[in-house]
Amino acid sequence: MSTDAMRSTRYSGSTRVDVTEYAASRIPERIEANAVAGTEVYLERRGGRTYLVTDAR
């Protein structure tokens, strides 16, 4: 698999929430709200914005 294919797969999460304006103390709350069994939850920076991404694997 090419690096481009891996990158596009990695960032094509099923849920993406913009958390740029959230206080750091609220991030865990959003993680719990978006967490689903069997998913990976991570933060992603794109173009000066921060997203909480839930990605079903």
Side-chain angles (χ1 to χ4, degrees):
M1 185 182 300
S2 74
T3 303
D4 290 332
M6 287 173 41
R7 190 174 303 125
S8 65
T9 300
R10 168 87 165 105
Y11 295 115
S12 61
S14 55
T15 302
R16 182 171 291 152
V17 177
D18 185 352
V19 294
T20 305
E21 302 297 323
Y22 279 51
S25 61
R26 291 198 54 215
I27 299 295
E29 176 184 310
R30 288 302 306 188
I31 290 171
E32 286 183 34
N34 288 299
V36 177
T39 62
E40 177 183 357
V41 179
Y42 55 92
L43 292 173
E44 173 184 305
R45 288 280 294 164
R46 287 194 172 225
R49 307 297 296 174
T50 303
Y51 298 93
L52 178 67
V53 180
T54 305
D55 192 10
R57 294 280 167 174

